[in-house]
Amino acid sequence: MVDVPVLKNYINGEWIESNSTDIREVRNPATGEVIAKVPMSTVEETEDAIKAANKAFARWRRTIPVTRARYFFEMKTLMEEKFEELARQVVIENGKTIDEARGEIRRGIENVELATGIPSLMMGYNAEDVAVDIDEMVIRQPMGVFFCLAPFNFPSMVPLWFLPTAVATGNTFILKPSPIAPMSSMKLFELIDELGFPPGVINLVHGDVDSANTLLDSPGTKGVSFVGSTPVGRIVYERAAANGKRAQIQAGAKNFLLVMPDADLERTASALMTSCYGCAGERCLAGAVILAMDEIHDSLVKTLVDRAKIIRVGNGLEEGVHMGPVITAKAKARTIDFIERALKEGANLLVDGRDVKVEGHPNGFFVGPTIFGDVKPDMCIAQEEIFGPVMSIIKVKSYEEALKIISASPYGNAASIFTSSGKWARKFGYEVEAGNIGINIGIAAPVAHFPFSGMKDSFFGDLHGQGKDGIRFFTEDKVVITRWF
Ligand code: NAD
């Protein structure tokens, strides 16, 4: 193993070395180099974090919301100061471009900003005279220890979808980052340490399945915010439910983008390119399948192919690079396997990203932009989540045919329509079963004060992350009915 530091846990306000003998390598996907080692924390270490968070809860929930919120005003200031450093760390462990990483940090900060409004956002409501001389009110109370199981693809933003709201509402928190991209969390926790939260309020435990299961099975935790793939999300949802916990499970996706004949061709093409190739296709909101209406199909395909050919693939830290690598050698092999399966199924490979070479980076996990034409709805590339830079184009004859294809997908994370007709736009928003709908938007990503939705196999639970949903997820409504004699 290469000599790089082993990442520490952050428990009860202290950086603690893990005793685990199960240690994995973290690689920079652009260079293939090992950049850190991450321990799979032991059951005892995960339990230590749960104990610390429970102990801290008693005082933290009594800390007044205005005081709790002030920590997040300061956290925002620190994040602004360290903005570039935070973004660079995302690039180094995840591979996305520096501009994409800046966007990620900005979205994370917006969630910190949301938490500064907690004193008013978590207010309940009341009514006078529900019966003679009797008043009734709802108060929202924090519940205890919440935890997040995070994915690799937004290693900084996803933890921030939950941590600020959970903690500002008065809960204590444990983050278990992705073992593939755990270093951005370290950067966030350096700031959290500097902010001086009381020990145990916010904790970090590295690990994978075993740590997740310890958190899920413990009577010392109240709920889980999971973001990751659908098969794992389903397991986590079931285990959380069996243990009587709250769960918000944001899962995998296959997103369809419908282009109507009256769409603005140039601007639509730009949006489709960003949607499919932004973050090398490793976004849960990434466009995967373009449904092109007959009338616009040929000109759209030509425009997309021309643009895909000039995408510059490379190390995301270099300015002028449009697309970085995928996350691991395994992810690269999986993407190439999809391309080969699609070829066998008869799809027409219009742009082939398999053999892309990046100068100076012989060991990076690069896949170039890939486009398939003549795709049929039952092909693997039209059905399964690839999570790589592969665009599949299906020609459709009518809006109804497109709707049928979208409705047949088990996923319902996002869907977009490109049109200049209000009628089609409204119909699409009304009829399509997907949580995040874009009207002439390629990546329908809700801002912090709106819920990040998802339907069907893309979301399990009731209350989504962010917005009012997030506040309700992290609080319990209590009804107080009052009469004074
Ligand atoms: P993943 O499912 O492999 O891992 C997610 C988390 O679950 C990690 O922290 C991992 O350690 C943990 N985990 C893995 N196996 C587990 C198990 N058996 N029990 C408990 N926990 C377990 O996901 P990933 O590959 O890191 O992320 C990519 C996926 O995330 C894609 O499918 C993408 O669509 C999805 N995603 C969804 C959203 C959304 O909001 N819907 C956002 C981002 C990413």
Side-chain angles (χ1 to χ4, degrees), residues 150-153 176 208 226-229 232 250-252 284 385 387 452:
F152 75 80
N153 68 327
K176 192 209 72 60
D208 198 8
F226 168 91
V227 180
S229 60
V232 175
Q250 302 191 194
C284 69
E385 182 176 42
F387 229 50
F452 193 105

Side-chain angles (χ1 to χ4, degrees), residues 29-30 91 94-98 100 277-282 311-317 321-327 356 358 365-369 389:
V91 179
N94 170 278
K96 63 183 68 175
T97 68
I98 186 71
E100 289 165 345
Y277 301 125
C279 301
E282 291 175 327
I311 285 187
R312 199 175 143 219
V313 180
N315 185 333
L317 282 180
V321 163
H322 304 125
M323 192 173 91
V326 294
I327 188 74
V356 74
V358 176
F365 313 131
F366 296 99
V367 182

Side-chain angles (χ1 to χ4, degrees), residues 131-175:
V132 175
D133 285 345
I134 295 183
D135 305 328
E136 192 162 326
M137 69 172 172
V138 163
I139 50 178
R140 297 218 161 105
Q141 296 192 326
M143 295 172 64
V145 180
F146 280 85
F147 62 98
C148 169
L149 305 176
F152 75 80
N153 68 327
F154 282 91
S156 187
M157 179 189 76
V158 165
L160 293 172
W161 276 353
F162 311 106
L163 184 157
T165 304
V167 172
T169 48
N171 302 285
T172 54
F173 198 79
I174 301 168
L175 169 64

Side-chain angles (χ1 to χ4, degrees), residues 226 228-241 249 251 410-411 456-458 460:
F226 168 91
S229 60
T230 292
V232 175
R234 211 185 282 281
I235 294 170
V236 171
Y237 189 49
E238 286 170 4
R239 199 149 180 156
I249 307 291
Y411 295 104
K456 294 158 85 179
D457 284 359
S458 295
F460 306 117

Side-chain angles (χ1 to χ4, degrees), residues 269-322:
S270 301
L272 300 184
M273 295 300 290
T274 318
S275 181
C276 295
Y277 301 125
C279 301
E282 291 175 327
R283 280 197 284 218
C284 69
L285 295 175
V289 181
I290 313 296
L291 301 166
M293 291 280 279
D294 216 348
E295 300 89 325
I296 200 167
H297 175 271
D298 292 356
S299 46
L300 182 67
V301 170
K302 184 178 178 320
T303 311
L304 293 172
V305 167
D306 288 348
R307 292 194 187 193
K309 285 182 176 159
I310 53 172
I311 285 187
R312 199 175 143 219
V313 180
N315 185 333
L317 282 180
E318 289 169 21
E319 296 289 345
V321 163
H322 304 125

